[in-house]
Amino acid sequence: MYNNEAKIMRNIQKMFYDFVDILDTSTALDIDVSVVQSVFGYWKKKRRGNGNHPLISELPPLNEVVVKSLKPVSKKSDPELDPFFKLVSLRQDLERARALLYMCERRERHKKNRP
């Protein structure tokens, strides 16, 4: 069952380029046809080179985007959450420092082992 669905999906992806009409796209966007052709050719080549996978990975659900973009308006808005945000910031800084030290350690090991 899954194999059959995967086969159908591959066929749809192969035919995908047939559904794009360059002339309609250029008139809808009010762009020269040659520009649309070159962009479409570039995009098509990159997508095929990537194993027919989308060039842009799936976007996160809207709720996650909204939650990540929310920040307190001012520090005085909720004094109980202020220490929490300080701890979060400190943790992120420490994580960045740890990653940097790890990369330096790998670089030095690589230098030492090089003939």
Side-chain angles (χ1 to χ4, degrees), residues 78-88:
D78 196 356
E80 292 178 5
L81 290 179
D82 194 33
F84 172 75
F85 286 116
K86 284 183 181 178
L87 284 175
V88 168

Side-chain angles (χ1 to χ4, degrees), residues 13-28:
Q13 287 176 347
K14 285 180 185 176
M15 295 182 332
F16 175 76
Y17 307 107
D18 299 335
F19 295 108
V20 177
D21 187 13
I22 294 174
L23 188 58
D24 287 345
T25 305
S26 70
T27 55

Side-chain angles (χ1 to χ4, degrees), residues 14-78:
K14 285 180 185 176
M15 295 182 332
F16 175 76
Y17 307 107
D18 299 335
F19 295 108
V20 177
D21 187 13
I22 294 174
L23 188 58
D24 287 345
T25 305
S26 70
T27 55
L29 297 174
D30 195 28
I31 299 175
D32 190 34
V33 176
S34 61
V35 174
V36 174
Q37 281 178 331
S38 61
V39 169
F40 179 67
Y42 174 79
W43 174 78
K44 188 175 174 181
K45 184 178 176 184
K46 291 290 276 185
R47 184 171 169 120
R48 283 190 176 157
N50 193 23
N52 235 4
H53 294 289
L55 297 181
I56 300 173
S57 62
E58 288 187 30
L59 298 174
L62 182 61
N63 294 340
E64 290 180 25
V65 173
V66 171
V67 169
K68 287 181 181 179
S69 66
L70 289 177
K71 292 181 180 176
V73 177
S74 68
K75 291 185 177 183
K76 295 179 181 179
S77 64
D78 196 356

